Amino acid sequence: MKKYFALIICFAMFLPVCFAETVVYNTKTHKYHKPGCTWAVKCTSNCIKIDKKDAKNKGGVPCKVCGG
Ligand SMILES: [Zn+2]
């Protein structure tokens, strides 16, 4: 039982980190989105999934809808 509890804690700790770090970056408009953003889902041809740091390094601007 304790093992499962530890697993759940691990998931709870690492999942938000994964979602916060990976963004959908639009190479055409140079805007980056949270993976769950409507615009990120709509964007298929010009968008790549990269690290938030990399998106900023490329001159990316956070999306006004989701906040990047
Ligand atoms: Zn967005």
Side-chain angles (χ1 to χ4, degrees):
M1 198 62 191
K2 258 187 180 175
K3 245 183 188 175
Y4 287 109
F5 188 71
L7 266 174
I8 291 162
I9 295 293
C10 282
F11 269 112
M13 280 174 80
F14 285 108
L15 273 178
V17 174
C18 294
F19 280 113
E21 288 301 315
T22 308
V23 293
V24 178
Y25 180 67
N26 191 319
T27 54
K28 219 173 184 182
T29 62
H30 302 287
K31 277 181 185 169
Y32 60 86
H33 305 268
K34 284 174 184 166
C37 177
T38 322
W39 295 104
V41 175
K42 277 182 188 175
C43 185
T44 50
S45 54
N46 300 312
C47 286
I48 48 165
K49 273 188 180 177
I50 55 167
D51 210 89
K52 198 174 194 175
K53 278 179 281 174
D54 294 332
K56 280 182 182 176
N57 287 341
K58 285 176 189 285
V61 186
C63 165
K64 278 176 188 169
V65 179
C66 64

